[in-house]
Amino acid sequence: MKDMKFVLIVFSIVFFALALPSECCNKKSAEAKKPKEEKRPETLDTLEEEEDDDSIEAFPDIEEQDILCHGYTPKPTTQELPKAVIFGTRKGGTRALLEFLNMHSLVRRSKPEIHFYDKHYKKGIEWYKAKMPFLTEGQIGMEKTPGYFHTPEVPKRMFETKNDTKLLLIIRDPVKRMISDYNQFVYNNMAQGNSYPNIETFLLKEDGSINEDYPPLKRSLYHQHMANWLEYFPLDQIYIVDGDRFIKEPWKEMEKVESFLDLPHQVGINNFYFNQTKGFYCGKEIIENVNSQWTCTRNKCLSKSKGRKPPSVDAGLLQRLYDYMDVHNQKFFKLVNRSDIVWQRPEF
């Protein structure tokens, strides 16, 4: 009888090890082995409006975590419209926010940006639901598409589709966000072997005035886009994450987001560690086996494409940009009734 128990214990341990997510065993995922598709060279105009597909930054799912040992019974799953959507801002930290939220046991997210409300609305609700993750009882589904925030048609479409959607908006210093937006196009072109004009080319008109029609600049005028959303959704249905604070102390913002989403607090300071090489915080996810004392810890860190070195910008132009943004920032703070967000000017 004792020998039989010993065999069962050994079997359980081996089965647990084989079922662990790839990060726990330091194995490369099949997804990482797929060859990258070559992209054709794009024109400047196309690149200006191109959304950043950062789904490669999404971490492998952990839905297998519950089937780590003997005695597991599969749970029924459903696909539903998302209870919460991260709808902006572009280059504001949406991927990090989504992936850190996905460490919560009651949150499941779509890896890629779905773009239902801005690009695929005519495909219908069933198409949208089919793009969402499978959920077990008690879990909520989420997606993030930063382009929603600055696309005029989206608030009305979302309200008519699911007007109880909880909305998450993560914002950064608008000048830094705009530069990061521009920087993405620089790296996209460099990756294709192309050069890209300096930022002054886009930001300044021939007479030296600021080009207010430059798309990355317009995306940083937060109050203009937010006013459109508030025509359909009440402010208490939107939580604004301070992106600059999120970078420094992600666990504090995560606690507020969990409360906003009516989730029990699970993701705290012990779920983060500072990566000295990358220069930002990474996630530390603890995967528990419900039928034993075994646990597995895996690190979740965005790649080097996040936190790219910013381009050099003339100090005089930077000062003009901060002066220009001041009025717009104050309009935004007043609109959303927030006085706790502070964006410090750099020393010129």
Side-chain angles (χ1 to χ4, degrees):
M1 190 68 180
K2 290 183 179 179
D3 290 341
M4 190 63 178
K5 288 183 178 179
F6 175 78
V7 170
L8 287 173
I9 291 172
V10 171
F11 177 78
S12 297
I13 292 173
V14 171
F15 187 83
F16 168 76
L18 290 173
L20 281 174
S22 58
E23 285 76 5
C24 297
C25 304
N26 296 320
K27 293 180 181 179
K28 294 182 178 179
S29 66
E31 190 173 295
K33 294 179 181 178
K34 292 181 181 178
K36 294 183 178 179
E37 295 183 3
E38 293 186 4
K39 292 185 177 181
R40 63 177 179 80
E42 302 281 1
T43 65
L44 285 181
D45 290 338
T46 303
L47 284 170
E48 282 305 327
E49 296 305 323
E50 181 186 74
E51 287 291 342
D52 183 21
D53 179 14
D54 62 356
S55 58
I56 193 173
E57 299 290 348
F59 305 109
D61 292 319
I62 59 167
E63 278 69 25
E64 300 81 14
Q65 67 175 343
D66 291 332
I67 49 175
L68 298 181
C69 72
H70 178 69
Y72 169 77
T73 302
K75 299 177 182 178
T77 59
T78 60
Q79 285 178 296
E80 304 171 0
L81 293 177
K83 179 178 180 179
V85 172
I86 301 174
F87 69 112
T89 60
R90 177 168 164 156
K91 312 311 295 179
T94 56
R95 175 57 64 182
L97 178 59
L98 183 68
E99 295 305 317
F100 290 162
L101 272 170
N102 199 53
M103 293 194 297
H104 198 290
S105 65
L106 297 181
V107 174
R108 290 294 176 267
R109 55 84 180 95
S110 165
K111 285 185 183 181
E113 295 174 6
I114 299 179
H115 288 281
F116 172 67
Y117 291 111
D118 60 350
K119 296 183 179 180
H120 303 293
Y121 191 62
K122 292 182 179 180
K123 294 182 179 179
I125 293 176
E126 293 305 314
W127 178 91
Y128 190 23
K129 286 170 64 174
K131 296 294 182 180
M132 294 302 298
F134 286 91
L135 307 175
T136 58
E137 184 177 358
Q139 291 182 329
I140 66 170
M142 291 187 64
E143 71 126 326
K144 74 106 173 173
T145 302
Y148 290 164
F149 181 55
H150 57 263
T151 304
E153 301 82 10
V154 171
K156 183 175 185 292
R157 291 174 176 177
M158 188 180 292
F159 182 82
E160 291 175 347
T161 302
K162 193 175 189 300
N163 61 16
D164 63 346
T165 303
K166 292 201 170 186
L167 298 167
L168 290 167
L169 177 70
I170 181 167
I171 58 172
R172 295 171 56 197
D173 175 325
V175 175
K176 293 180 180 178
R177 193 222 63 82
M178 180 200 65
I179 293 173
S180 181
D181 205 343
Y182 158 81
N183 210 28
Q184 177 190 313
F185 301 129
V186 174
Y187 276 81
N188 286 350
N189 275 268
M190 289 174 59
Q192 298 176 13
N194 302 323
S195 60
Y196 197 73
N198 60 37
I199 195 169
E200 288 82 358
T201 304
F202 301 104
L203 275 174
L204 298 178
K205 297 181 180 179
E206 291 184 1
D207 62 2
S209 61
I210 291 178
N211 178 16
E212 296 180 331
D213 293 325
Y214 179 44
L217 177 67
K218 292 170 68 175
R219 286 191 278 267
S220 279
L221 304 181
Y222 300 147
H223 69 96
Q224 294 182 0
H225 310 299
M226 179 58 79
N228 190 27
W229 282 88
L230 291 177
E231 288 185 14
Y232 296 91
F233 293 91
L235 190 56
D236 61 6
Q237 203 169 321
I238 304 172
Y239 181 73
I240 299 171
V241 179
D242 183 342
D244 292 296
R245 190 181 300 158
F246 181 72
I247 292 172
K248 297 174 182 176
E249 297 177 317
W251 54 90
K252 291 187 176 181
E253 287 296 309
M254 288 297 296
E255 183 177 2
K256 295 175 184 177
V257 172
E258 286 174 327
S259 296
F260 173 72
L261 296 176
D262 298 319
L263 295 170
H265 296 304
Q266 289 185 7
V267 184
I269 190 171
N270 292 330
N271 292 99
F272 298 94
Y273 70 96
F274 190 77
N275 187 306
Q276 295 287 350
T277 302
K278 295 177 181 292
F280 50 77
Y281 277 96
C282 299
K284 185 169 63 175
E285 185 174 23
I286 299 174
I287 303 171
E288 296 183 355
N289 174 20
V290 296
N291 295 317
S292 78
Q293 297 180 354
W294 288 91
T295 62
C296 172
T297 300
R298 67 173 185 169
N299 296 335
K300 306 180 74 172
C301 213
L302 301 180
S303 76
K304 63 182 180 180
S305 69
K306 302 297 181 180
R308 292 168 174 151
K309 181 180 178 180
S312 176
V313 182
D314 177 75
L317 176 57
L318 269 180
Q319 188 163 4
R320 289 181 62 191
L321 287 171
Y322 274 94
D323 289 341
Y324 173 83
M325 286 294 182
D326 269 348
V327 175
H328 294 285
N329 295 343
Q330 294 309 314
K331 288 181 179 180
F332 175 72
F333 295 145
K334 183 177 180 180
L335 184 66
V336 298
N337 194 28
R338 291 287 291 268
S339 59
D340 60 313
I341 301 175
V342 179
W343 293 313
Q344 298 288 347
R345 284 182 177 227
E347 295 183 5
F348 300 111

